[in-house]
Amino acid sequence: MKNETLKSNNEFKRVFLSGDKRIGKYVILYFLPIERNINRYGIITKKYIGNAVKRNRIKRILREILRNKYSNLLSGYDIVILARKNIINASFKEIEEDIVKLFNKL
């Protein structure tokens, strides 16, 4: 089953206000159980990460990790991933390990 994305500002706000969060070294994971049988993801990279090239690179890395590891593992969540500032210097493997650790806590 394909994962969908969160698009509207209201969807993101609902996850932030009503959901729970897990804080990792490189990302903060917000999640909210929903009554649908799919996961919906949203990725946030703020301007303190860097210019648009750096922010888009981080988004591509996070999407790839989600695609490989969690495409069908969990279902029924709205998930927002917020990149932290120190993610700039992290390798793909370090980011992946951090996300795996956070999802295992979920």
Side-chain angles (χ1 to χ4, degrees), residues 16 19-31 48 79-86 94-95 97-106:
F16 286 134
D20 199 3
K21 72 178 175 181
R22 301 285 185 262
I23 299 174
K25 186 174 181 182
Y26 301 112
V27 297
I28 300 173
L29 181 74
Y30 294 88
F31 60 94
Y48 56 71
I79 299 170
V80 175
I81 299 175
L82 175 63
R84 299 181 74 183
K85 189 169 187 167
N86 59 351
E94 291 172 328
I95 297 169
E97 289 171 358
D98 191 39
I99 291 177
V100 166
K101 185 174 71 172
L102 292 176
F103 270 99
N104 287 337
K105 288 181 182 179
L106 205 114

Side-chain angles (χ1 to χ4, degrees), residues 1-7 11 14-15 29-42 66-67 69-81 103 106:
M1 184 168 293
K2 186 175 186 322
N3 294 318
E4 295 181 4
T5 58
L6 299 173
K7 292 182 175 60
E11 292 173 334
R14 188 173 47 82
V15 175
L29 181 74
Y30 294 88
F31 60 94
L32 178 67
I34 57 174
E35 294 181 8
R36 297 172 65 186
N37 200 17
I38 59 168
N39 289 332
R40 299 188 316 162
Y41 292 101
L66 291 173
R67 187 182 69 82
K69 294 282 183 184
Y70 298 102
S71 60
N72 292 320
L73 185 62
L74 298 170
S75 63
Y77 286 96
D78 280 351
I79 299 170
V80 175
I81 299 175
F103 270 99
L106 205 114

Side-chain angles (χ1 to χ4, degrees), residues 56-67:
N56 286 330
R57 178 183 168 273
I58 297 300
K59 285 185 207 175
R60 284 194 308 272
I61 288 171
L62 293 173
R63 277 194 302 264
E64 182 65 17
I65 292 170
L66 291 173
R67 187 182 69 82

